[in-house]
């Protein structure tokens, strides 16, 4: 069973059968990330989208081996640039994180040291991954600040994080993530805390940098507008599983999974003015109540007897696949 | 619809002091709201939009006098709210309710759903006795789409969407005429947001409610509002019918704001031809001289740096931009600058 989504170039990141579990209050372990398969080609932006609690952020943390106890990665294969990341020790992981894999998060303040000047933090990141003289590291930090569009970069290197605005902090974070020239950037809700005009600036920057550096991006977001602006391909997650994968056009223009269809229908911007929004009835159940079959079945208008079993991938078109019994039946696959 | 508006705000000014030194004397002012005019007709939904720090939330709070404005007039059903003595505010708040962004912060963690909804009714003496109030609470919960099995739950036992429904039921319990929704759906996932927006839409038709809808989300606003007012640095820069403001924006800031919203049309990524706003919003403690938007405006010219534009009438709305200037000045809500 694999996501047969074709991609544009050679695979940079391959994730297969990733399972990450947490214990419930009743002592049982529940897979919050449940057999997730993903592929990101070199230079490609893959968006992993879903609502709160669907497991998209935990998927990213699992890929980077950053799951904190009592969470645990139980199974799965992660291959980066042809090399399996299984069984690497903490020292090797420290080199990969911030090295081959750069990461930025929603709230830059949680990733920046509040009592250290941002310049020193960028220089530290550079020297952690490469043996360069302080003077050279300083020069590179300045170049990075210029590249991510921080005005008056020299002065800003000497600023403390709290002296920077939200947009500037996010730019500083991006500069730091780029310092070791990563092959893969994991961006977890990178613009969610920002106002739209600043968000637009950061999205432009990420797009330019991806093209310029040939860097692949795993974009974690709940915002389908951001997906449309930045992504090449999209994977939709619901209750711990990827339910639909395809190109940006496949998923946003011709979505097939009932959950994706419902999600798109509930967007005010896609609904005629004054018309009722499409409602997905109910809410996502808590993980300990996730059914063993299709997890969306309880809220799905198209659910039928077969949905008591977990659906396998059904290819819709080249590169567009869906995990849904109703769609499989309709297509006759 | 009567010609006297339900809510009329004129020249509203709410400044917050910046205090410093041993004596905590004000050394400057944050001009959060600096001369705002607004009008909500009975049964209408007016949206107040803008980015963080533009003052939209302070407008809502000033109307309710949760913060005290320094100047201006707020007329509600013809009565000047800013002239009311504090003890009379209770009766005002029966007619004017607010639903906040974060329901967990708005609800008392020690009150069960049943008591949270009934609290306002007791305060305002609605319902003859406990039994009648309980019946009303049950009816309200059903109306906002909550199962009666949740009556005995505490806020922390509910999901985000359920909590917001409780806040709406609580606000409706005292039969208000105007509901101020301050980013009421912003913290919710889109599928839950759709449920709440549909609920607000239905309640308006059923109860003849009016809304002042404060939001940063133009998609939501487009869906719900009859009129839109756009705020920037404490002032309204554009106002008008929703189709006009969002479909044919006149003010350069409104245009830039709309351009910045990520497109949802997969055939039209807007990346390339988009107008970008450079820089960030200046501090409301020292708003730029002249037009407050001029340092970021792509269409700036000399006059904008020297002179503050008034709201000029444009079609059925108004724009605070010299490019919209015609013979008539629609309103003079500006506070004279020191």
């Amino acid at each position: 069973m694999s996501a047969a989504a074709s991609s544009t170039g050679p695979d940079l990141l391959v994730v297969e059968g990733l399972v990450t579990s947490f214990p419930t209050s009743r002592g049982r372990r529940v897979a919050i990330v449940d057999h997730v398969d993903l592929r990101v080609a070199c230079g490609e932006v893959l968006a992993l989208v879903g609502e709160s609690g669907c497991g998209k952020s935990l998927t990213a943390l699992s890929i980077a081996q950053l799951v904190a106890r009592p969470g645990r990665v139980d199974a799965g294969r992660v291959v980066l640039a042809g090399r399996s990341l299984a069984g690497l020790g903490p020292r090797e992981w420290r080199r990969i994180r911030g090295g081959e894999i750069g990461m930025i998060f929603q709230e830059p303040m949680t990733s920046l040291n509040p009592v250290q000047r941002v310049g020193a933090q960028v220089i530290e990141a550079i020297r952690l991954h490469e043996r360069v003289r302080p003077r050279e590291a300083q020069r590179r930090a300045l170049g990075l600040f210029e590249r991510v569009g921080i005005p008056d970069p020299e002065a800003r290197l000497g600023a403390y994080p709290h002296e920077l605005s939200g947009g500037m902090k996010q730019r500083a974070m991006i500069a730091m993530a780029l310092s070791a020239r990563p092959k893969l950037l994991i961006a977890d809700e990178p613009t969610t805390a920002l106002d739209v005009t600043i968000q637009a600036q950061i999205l432009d920057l990420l797009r330019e940098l991806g093209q310029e550096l040939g860097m692949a991006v795993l974009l974690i977001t709940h915002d389908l507008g951001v997906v449309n602006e930045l992504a090449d391909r999209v994977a939709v997650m619901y209750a711990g599983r990827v339910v639909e994968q395809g190109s940006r056009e496949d998923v946003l223009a011709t979505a097939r999974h009932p959950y994706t269809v419902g999600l798109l229908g509930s967007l005010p911007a896609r609904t005629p003015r004054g018309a009722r929004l499409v409602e997905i009835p109910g809410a996502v159940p808590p993980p300990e109540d996730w059914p063993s079959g299709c997890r969306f079945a309880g809220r799905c208008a198209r659910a039928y007897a077969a949905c008591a079993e977990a659906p396998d991938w059904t290819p819709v078109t080249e590169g567009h696949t869906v995990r849904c019994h109703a769609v499989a039946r309709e297509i006759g696959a | 619809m009567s010609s006297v508006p339900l809510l009329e705000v004129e020249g509203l000014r709410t400044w917050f002091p910046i205090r410093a030194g041993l004596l905590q004397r004000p050394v400057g002012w944050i001009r959060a709201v600096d001369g705002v005019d607004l009008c909500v007709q009975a049964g209408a939904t007016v949206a107040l939009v803008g980015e963080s720090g533009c003052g939209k939330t302070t407008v809502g709070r000033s109307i309710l006098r949760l913060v005290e404005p320094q100047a201006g007039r707020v007329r509600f059903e013809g009565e000047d709210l800013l002239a009311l003595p504090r003890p009379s505010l209770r009766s005002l708040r029966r007619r004017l309710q607010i639903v906040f962004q974060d329901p967990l912060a708005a609800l008392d963690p020690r009150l069960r759903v049943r008591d949270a909804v009934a609290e306002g009714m007791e305060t305002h003496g609605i319902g003859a006795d406990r039994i009648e109030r309980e019946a009303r609470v049950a009816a309200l919960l059903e109306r906002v789409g909550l199962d009666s099995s949740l009556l005995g739950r505490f806020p922390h036992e509910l999901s985000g969407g359920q909590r917001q429904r409780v806040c709406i039921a609580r606000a409706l319990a005292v039969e208000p005429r105007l509901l101020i929704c301050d980013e009421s759906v912003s913290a919710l996932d889109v599928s839950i947001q759709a449920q709440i927006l549909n609920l607000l839409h239905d309640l308006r038709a059923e109860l003849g409610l009016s809304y002042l809808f404060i939001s940063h989300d133009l998609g939501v606003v487009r869906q719900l509002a009859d009129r839109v007012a756009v705020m920037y640095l404490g002032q309204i820069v554009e106002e008008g019918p929703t189709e006009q403001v969002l479909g044919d924006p006149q003010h350069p800031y409104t245009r830039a704001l709309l351009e910045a919203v990520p497109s949802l049309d997969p055939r039209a990524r807007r990346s390339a031809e988009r107008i970008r706003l450079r820089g960030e919003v200046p501090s409301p403690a020292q708003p730029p001289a002249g037009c407050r938007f001029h340092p970021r405006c792509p269409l700036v010219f000399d006059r904008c740096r020297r002179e503050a534009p008034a709201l000029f009438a444009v079609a059925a709305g108004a724009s605070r931009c010299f490019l919209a200037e015609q013979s008539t000045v629609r309103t003079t809500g500006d506070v004279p600058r020191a």
Side-chain angles (χ1 to χ4, degrees), chain A residues 118 142-159 163-165 167-169 171-172 198 201-202 205, chain B residues 278-280:
Chain A
V118 284
L142 187 64
L144 282 166
F145 265 39
E146 270 166 11
R147 181 60 202 86
V148 298
I150 295 179
D152 197 4
E154 218 147 344
R156 292 284 161 70
L157 281 172
E163 296 174 305
L164 303 179
S165 68
M168 284 306 145
K169 277 193 285 244
R171 286 176 196 268
I198 307 300
Q201 296 171 358
I202 299 290
L205 176 65
Chain B
R278 296 285 152 208
E280 301 184 359

Side-chain angles (χ1 to χ4, degrees), chain A residues 165 197 201 204 273 275-276, chain B residues 51 202 223 225 276-277 280:
Chain A
S165 68
T197 59
Q201 296 171 358
D204 284 350
R273 215 174 95 68
R276 284 184 73 82
Chain B
E51 298 182 279
D202 296 347
Q223 189 59 28
R276 274 288 176 274
L277 276 191
E280 301 184 359

